[in-house]
Short mmCIF file of all heavy atoms in Angstrom, two decimals:
data_model
loop_
_atom_site.label_atom_id
_atom_site.label_comp_id
_atom_site.label_asym_id
_atom_site.label_seq_id
_atom_site.Cartn_x
_atom_site.Cartn_y
_atom_site.Cartn_z
N SER Q 11 13.01 5.40 -2.52
CA SER Q 11 12.37 4.57 -3.54
C SER Q 11 13.34 3.57 -4.16
O SER Q 11 13.34 3.36 -5.37
CB SER Q 11 11.78 5.48 -4.63
OG SER Q 11 12.80 6.31 -5.18
N CYS Q 12 14.10 2.93 -3.33
CA CYS Q 12 15.07 1.92 -3.76
C CYS Q 12 14.44 0.54 -3.58
O CYS Q 12 13.97 0.21 -2.48
CB CYS Q 12 16.34 2.05 -2.92
SG CYS Q 12 17.61 0.89 -3.41
N PRO Q 13 14.41 -0.27 -4.64
CA PRO Q 13 13.77 -1.59 -4.53
C PRO Q 13 14.31 -2.46 -3.39
O PRO Q 13 13.58 -3.31 -2.88
CB PRO Q 13 14.05 -2.23 -5.89
CG PRO Q 13 14.26 -1.10 -6.82
CD PRO Q 13 14.89 -0.01 -6.00
N THR Q 14 15.54 -2.25 -2.99
CA THR Q 14 16.08 -3.07 -1.90
C THR Q 14 15.36 -2.80 -0.58
O THR Q 14 15.45 -3.59 0.34
CB THR Q 14 17.59 -2.83 -1.71
OG1 THR Q 14 17.80 -1.44 -1.42
CG2 THR Q 14 18.36 -3.23 -2.96
N ARG Q 15 14.63 -1.70 -0.49
CA ARG Q 15 13.89 -1.37 0.74
C ARG Q 15 12.58 -2.17 0.86
O ARG Q 15 11.95 -2.20 1.92
CB ARG Q 15 13.57 0.12 0.81
CG ARG Q 15 14.78 1.02 0.93
CD ARG Q 15 15.66 0.72 2.15
NE ARG Q 15 14.94 0.54 3.39
CZ ARG Q 15 14.69 1.49 4.27
NH1 ARG Q 15 15.14 2.69 4.08
NH2 ARG Q 15 14.01 1.24 5.37
N LEU Q 16 12.16 -2.80 -0.24
CA LEU Q 16 10.89 -3.54 -0.21
C LEU Q 16 10.90 -4.64 0.85
O LEU Q 16 9.88 -4.90 1.49
CB LEU Q 16 10.58 -4.12 -1.59
CG LEU Q 16 10.15 -3.09 -2.63
CD1 LEU Q 16 10.15 -3.71 -4.02
CD2 LEU Q 16 8.76 -2.56 -2.29
N LYS Q 17 12.03 -5.28 1.04
CA LYS Q 17 12.12 -6.35 2.05
C LYS Q 17 11.83 -5.79 3.44
O LYS Q 17 11.09 -6.40 4.23
CB LYS Q 17 13.52 -6.97 2.00
CG LYS Q 17 13.72 -8.09 2.97
CD LYS Q 17 15.12 -8.67 2.81
CE LYS Q 17 15.35 -9.79 3.81
NZ LYS Q 17 16.71 -10.32 3.69
N ASP Q 18 12.39 -4.62 3.75
CA ASP Q 18 12.15 -3.98 5.05
C ASP Q 18 10.68 -3.59 5.21
O ASP Q 18 10.11 -3.72 6.29
CB ASP Q 18 13.03 -2.74 5.21
CG ASP Q 18 14.50 -3.06 5.14
OD1 ASP Q 18 14.90 -4.17 5.56
OD2 ASP Q 18 15.27 -2.20 4.66
N VAL Q 19 10.10 -3.10 4.12
CA VAL Q 19 8.69 -2.69 4.16
C VAL Q 19 7.80 -3.90 4.41
O VAL Q 19 6.90 -3.87 5.25
CB VAL Q 19 8.29 -1.95 2.86
CG1 VAL Q 19 6.79 -1.70 2.81
CG2 VAL Q 19 9.06 -0.65 2.73
N ARG Q 20 8.05 -4.98 3.69
CA ARG Q 20 7.26 -6.22 3.88
C ARG Q 20 7.38 -6.71 5.32
O ARG Q 20 6.39 -7.10 5.94
CB ARG Q 20 7.71 -7.31 2.91
CG ARG Q 20 7.30 -7.07 1.48
CD ARG Q 20 7.54 -8.31 0.61
NE ARG Q 20 8.92 -8.75 0.60
CZ ARG Q 20 9.83 -8.36 -0.30
NH1 ARG Q 20 9.50 -7.52 -1.25
NH2 ARG Q 20 11.07 -8.81 -0.24
N ARG Q 21 8.59 -6.69 5.85
CA ARG Q 21 8.81 -7.15 7.23
C ARG Q 21 8.04 -6.26 8.22
O ARG Q 21 7.37 -6.76 9.13
CB ARG Q 21 10.29 -7.13 7.59
CG ARG Q 21 10.57 -7.65 9.00
CD ARG Q 21 12.05 -7.62 9.41
NE ARG Q 21 12.94 -8.10 8.38
CZ ARG Q 21 13.88 -7.35 7.78
NH1 ARG Q 21 14.05 -6.10 8.13
NH2 ARG Q 21 14.66 -7.86 6.86
N ALA Q 22 8.09 -4.95 8.02
CA ALA Q 22 7.39 -4.02 8.92
C ALA Q 22 5.88 -4.21 8.85
O ALA Q 22 5.19 -4.22 9.88
CB ALA Q 22 7.77 -2.58 8.58
N VAL Q 23 5.36 -4.40 7.65
CA VAL Q 23 3.91 -4.61 7.48
C VAL Q 23 3.51 -5.93 8.13
O VAL Q 23 2.47 -6.01 8.81
CB VAL Q 23 3.52 -4.56 5.99
CG1 VAL Q 23 2.09 -5.05 5.78
CG2 VAL Q 23 3.69 -3.14 5.45
#
Side-chain angles (χ1 to χ4, degrees):
S11 56
C12 182
T14 59
R15 295 302 314 267
L16 287 168
K17 181 178 179 182
D18 300 328
V19 172
R20 287 191 301 268
R21 182 181 316 117
V23 169

